[in-house]
């Protein structure tokens, strides 16, 4: 068969777009089944308390109420992606120790199932819960050292994760430095604000499986956690993803999944065969799912006058909130990335994840990377200023290169291109590589008494795929149909299309590898009863992992095709090179098998009368290995940049004493079109990853990472002030400007 | 107070007669009673624009209007804009310009832009930006949406000639 390479690198339209523009695509809340019942959650709405008693007697008597479920109705009343530290329902009556405690406002207390949505609301108000309030633990830094007040009384400490890195000799490194920059940084909480609030529908399918249709990021993990809580074998649970209304990490942990499954299963046991549907309100969504971790950081870095970074010491404390979620994994990334994409001979890092009574924190685009990058890039920019060196020049003297040793004392995987990315970005922004080294362009726009201009530079690296020894693989199954030639092909894959276009990419890989037109490829996606384990749509891993799995499955199927098997059916499980966890003493490990690299320049103006920052231009250079679909790649760069802009400048999630003051989209503001940069210049580099499918790297998270530190550097260039805490709301900017006088 | 009220509403050219509870929102009426799920609900209080529909030619937030207020009026939703085989030029442009990712906000954008383009068939980028400043999108970064509107306006103006 002659191969015309025609589908990779082409900006084809998303096949799901037609349904989405006509309103025909079904998101979980759009699916209705005959005879369905409705479910509502009773949330605790208080941050820390012991439930003495739950009285559901009035609620269950309300005509039309089918069932009210509490802790005693959950077979195994615990769940969690990393550890099972969260009760499905809080309250007395289950075997889970301390499950009668509520630990944050979004803890769930009861599930009300009724014939109509309004009845669930009515019945909810008739449930009487007797609480004994407990002191609220809301500051992670205090909770870290306070062993008297515990969020989880069955633990000895609120600290549930500690990593350390010891590379070289920190004191020697600091001694060799000509300048030392000390910093204290605080990064904020961020809410995902995907547009589609959590929703789903559950029913018992024709093979007696408890089936849920829901928006998630990892079908098989949902399946496993539901199976654990219901004490059923995983194959008795079926998880299907219809259209997903955005995720960004916010759907990686359970929200409505276990509730829905529990409800349908419970009804079945009562002899009632009714599907159960639920839709969360925006407010329920905001209190009910996790957020991006805030970090509290103390650090000092040293460098010589020649711009060589000699030492970095970092202490990271993060607020995990009430339960672990993916905190330990997020902390792993932050621990690695807080010293940036630089080869530093002497490194000491200590990191701590701490329980509090705040809303749990977990996965969000970048996954610890943005917090780490903020620290590293601000430190490098401050060092550059202190030794009077250009910020690009100091980077060029310290960047990781092929064979460089990471802070965890192992070499980078092959294909390191951060120097090329930095080079390209600097050049595009007008930097000149002179015989005295890199020199920033002069700012052409004139400052006035009120408006001050500045540009800022930052760069980052981010892992592709699961890290630190986490099991990592991805499965694809391919069927080839036809007689003499392949007439059509079917791909079975669980990889979730959360909007990023994963399914488009899958079809492009198939069409390319089989030399078939797109319409001859059929995709059966995201259904645990039909598709294999793919891992999550997270960690910028889907193109890389799913791509490799499809390459393997197609190759295996083609071998069978040549042996005249009709249809030729083959499965393939791709496993990347192994990673390893941090050594408890030194932190030494092989953290990752692949990285993506990114650099950004931000050009902005600060209105010194109002504190308002206006973004004129963002240049983003991103090495994606191979842009399988350049239109989708640019979409990711622009989307990530605007989301990062919200993080850096405006998204202000307010929690006090465990209560949130921003539970709506009118109090938690995300960027509108009038807030975004006037121009985003996305530049795609294609330096093949040696183990990427057709050279592709992951890229969905990378453009988020350097944005905030680049903004902070630009604001410093404009005003002379370093902001070590953000978002840079007008209030924060103006108060600092006034302080400076 | 809960006595159902009879209403008559024309939706996407088709007339519906229903008895509705007085506090039923137009968004819920469209989604649940008429099963027109192309209208999405993202915030329930008029902030995100996902539920935007056209009422008598004007963009409105269906989460801020009671179904009874639509009595005797004409509603257009994304479900009726074009068909899969015969897309409206605006839908076509959204596809071609990659103006959607998850797509949840898309119907609201379309229903905001349609009346805008009827009023202003030749908009500048600046006018497009102002027209959609009340619609939230968390995926795209908005730039491709502006491109799509521009493209559709050119195409539609060409057809009109």
């Amino acid at each position: 068969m002659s191969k015309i390479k025609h589908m990779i690198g082409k900006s084809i339209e998303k096949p799901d777009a037609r349904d989405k523009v006509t309103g025909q695509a079904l998101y979980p809340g759009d699916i209705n089944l005959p005879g369905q019942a409705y479910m509502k959650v009773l949330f605790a709405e208080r941050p820390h308390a012991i439930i003495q008693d739950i009285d559901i007697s009035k609620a269950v008597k309300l005509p039309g109420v089918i069932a009210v479920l509490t802790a005693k109705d959950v077979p195994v009343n615990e769940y969690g992606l990393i550890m099972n530290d969260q009760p499905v329902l809080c309250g007395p009556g289950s075997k889970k120790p301390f499950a009668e405690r509520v630990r944050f406002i979004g803890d769930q207390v009861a599930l009300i199932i009724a014939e109509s949505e309004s009845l669930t609301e009515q019945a909810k108000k008739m449930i009487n819960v007797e609480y004994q309030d407990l002191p609220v633990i809301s500051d992670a830094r205090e909770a870290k050292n306070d062993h008297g007040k515990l969020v989880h009384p069955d633990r000895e400490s609120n600290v549930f994760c500690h990593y350390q890195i010891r590379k070289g000799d920190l004191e020697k490194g600091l001694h060799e430095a000509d300048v030392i920059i000390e910093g204290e940084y605080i990064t904020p909480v961020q809410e995902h604000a995907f547009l589609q609030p959590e929703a789903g529908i559950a029913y018992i399918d024709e093979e007696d499986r408890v089936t849920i249709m829901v928006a998630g990021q990892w079908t098989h993990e949902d399946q496993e956690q539901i199976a654990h809580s219901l004490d059923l074998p995983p194959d008795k649970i079926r998880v299907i993803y219809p259209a997903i209304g955005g995720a960004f990490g916010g759907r990686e942990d359970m929200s409505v999944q276990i509730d829905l499954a529990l409800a349908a299963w419970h009804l079945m046991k009562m002899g009632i065969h009714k599907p159960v549907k639920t839709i969360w309100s925006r407010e329920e969504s905001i209190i009910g799912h996790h957020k991006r971790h805030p970090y509290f950081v103390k650090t000092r870095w040293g460098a010589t006058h020649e711009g060589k970074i000699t030492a970095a010491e970092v202490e990271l404390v993060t607020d995990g909130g009430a339960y672990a979620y993916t905190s330990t994994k997020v902390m792993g990334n932050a621990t690695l990335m807080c010293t940036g994409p630089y080869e530093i001979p002497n490194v000491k890092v200590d990191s701590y994840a701490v329980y509090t009574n705040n809303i749990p924190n977990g996965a969000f685009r970048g996954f610890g990377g943005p917090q780490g990058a903020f620290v590293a890039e601000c430190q490098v920019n401050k060092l550059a200023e202190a030794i009077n060196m250009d910020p690009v020049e100091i980077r060029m003297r310290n960047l990781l290169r092929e064979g460089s040793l990471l802070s965890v004392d192992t070499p980078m995987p092959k294909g390191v291109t951060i120097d090329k990315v930095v080079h390209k970005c600097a050049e595009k922004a007008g930097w000149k590589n002179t015989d005295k080294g890199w020199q920033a362009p002069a700012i052409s726009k004139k400052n006035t008494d009120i408006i001050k201009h500045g540009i800022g530079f930052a760069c980052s690296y981010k892992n592709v795929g699961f890290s630190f020894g986490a099991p990592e693989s991805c499965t694809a199954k391919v069927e080839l149909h036809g007689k003499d030639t392949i007439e059509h092909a079917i791909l079975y894959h669980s990889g979730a299309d959360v909007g990023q276009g994963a399914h488009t990419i899958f079809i492009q890989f198939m069409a390319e590898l089989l030399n078939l037109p797109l319409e001859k490829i059929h995709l059966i996606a995201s259904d645990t009863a039909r598709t294999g384990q793919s891992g999550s749509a997270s960690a910028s891993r889907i193109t890389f992992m799913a791509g490799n799995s499809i390459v393997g499955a197609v190759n295996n199927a083609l071998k069978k095709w040549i042996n005249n098997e009709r249809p030729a059916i083959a499965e393939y499980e791709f496993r990347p090179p192994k990673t390893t966890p941090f050594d408890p003493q030194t932190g030494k490990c092989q953290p990752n098998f692949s990285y993506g690299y990114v650099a950004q320049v931000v050009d902005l103006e600060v209105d010194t009368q109002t504190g308002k920052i206006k973004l004129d231009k963002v240049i983003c250079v991103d090495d994606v290995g191979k842009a399988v679909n350049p239109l989708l790649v640019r979409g990711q760069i622009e989307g990530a940049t605007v989301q990062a802009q919200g993080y850096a400048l405006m998204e202000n999630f307010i929690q006090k004493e465990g209560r949130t003051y921003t539970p709506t989209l009118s109090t938690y503001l995300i960027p509108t079109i009038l807030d975004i940069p006037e121009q985003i210049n996305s530049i795609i580099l294609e330096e093949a990853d040696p183990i990427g499918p057709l050279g592709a790297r992951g890229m969905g998270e990378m453009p988020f990472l350097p944005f905030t530190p680049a903004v902070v550097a630009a604001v410093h260039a404009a005003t002379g002030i370093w902001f070590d805490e953000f978002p840079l709301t007008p209030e924060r900017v103006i108060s600092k400007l006034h302080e400076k006088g | 107070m809960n006595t159902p009220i009879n209403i008559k509403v024309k939706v996407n050219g088709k007339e519906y007669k229903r008895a509705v509870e007085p506090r039923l929102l137009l968004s819920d009426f469209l989604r649940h009673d008429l099963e027109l799920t192309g209208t999405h609900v993202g915030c329930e209080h008029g902030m995100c624009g996902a539920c935007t529909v056209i009422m008598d030619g004007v963009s409105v937030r269906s989460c801020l209007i009671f179904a009874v207020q639509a009595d005797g009026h004409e509603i257009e939703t994304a479900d009726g804009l074009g068909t899969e085989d015969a897309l409206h030029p605006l839908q076509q442009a959204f596809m071609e310009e990659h103006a959607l990712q998850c797509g949840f906000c898309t119907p609201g954008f379309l229903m905001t832009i349609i009346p805008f383009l009827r009023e202003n068939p030749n908009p500048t980028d600046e006018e497009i930006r102002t027209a959609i400043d009340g619609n939230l999108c968390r995926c795209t970064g908005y730039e491709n949406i502006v491109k799509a509107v521009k493209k559709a306006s050119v195409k539609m103006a060409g057809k009109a000639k």
Side-chain angles (χ1 to χ4, degrees), chain A residues 16 18-27 30 243, chain B residues 37-38 40 84:
Chain A
D16 53 325
R18 191 170 289 269
D19 276 352
K20 287 176 174 174
V21 296
T22 52
Q24 299 309 301
L26 294 180
Y27 298 85
D30 300 336
Chain B
T37 53
H40 299 152
E84 304 243 335

Side-chain angles (χ1 to χ4, degrees), chain B residues 18-80:
Chain B
R18 292 286 191 280
V20 298
E21 200 259 329
R23 291 167 305 178
L24 182 71
L25 297 171
L26 179 58
S27 51
D28 289 339
F29 174 71
L30 293 169
R31 290 178 50 78
H32 303 154
D33 293 44
L34 305 188
E35 294 189 17
L36 293 170
T37 53
T39 299
H40 299 152
V41 177
C43 75
E44 310 105 22
H45 68 307
M47 285 305 295
C48 76
C51 71
T52 304
V53 299
I54 302 169
M55 187 163 163
D56 299 337
V58 180
S59 290
V60 293
R61 312 262 150 138
S62 62
C63 76
L64 297 182
I65 292 178
F66 291 116
V68 290
Q69 292 175 288
D71 185 24
H73 294 275
E74 193 169 342
I75 306 290
E76 297 166 69
T77 74
D79 314 71

Side-chain angles (χ1 to χ4, degrees), chain B residues 91-160:
Chain B
Q91 292 172 315
Q92 186 69 38
F94 261 65
M95 280 182 63
E96 287 170 8
E97 293 299 324
H98 190 40
L100 64 135
Q101 287 182 28
C102 88
F104 194 79
C105 68
T106 308
F109 272 95
L110 298 175
M111 291 297 105
T112 302
I113 297 159
I114 291 286
F116 164 70
L117 286 180
R118 284 178 192 154
E119 292 257 314
N120 185 354
N122 247 321
T124 63
D125 281 11
E126 210 43 55
E127 288 166 341
I128 295 170
R129 283 171 174 252
T130 311
I132 59 173
D133 70 357
N135 291 68
L136 295 176
C137 170
R138 192 57 154 168
C139 297
T140 63
Y142 299 106
E143 217 37 71
N144 287 343
I145 297 176
V146 177
K147 284 185 200 161
V149 178
K150 194 89 183 164
K151 187 172 195 173
S153 72
V154 170
K155 217 173 191 177
M156 288 161 70
K159 263 193 189 161

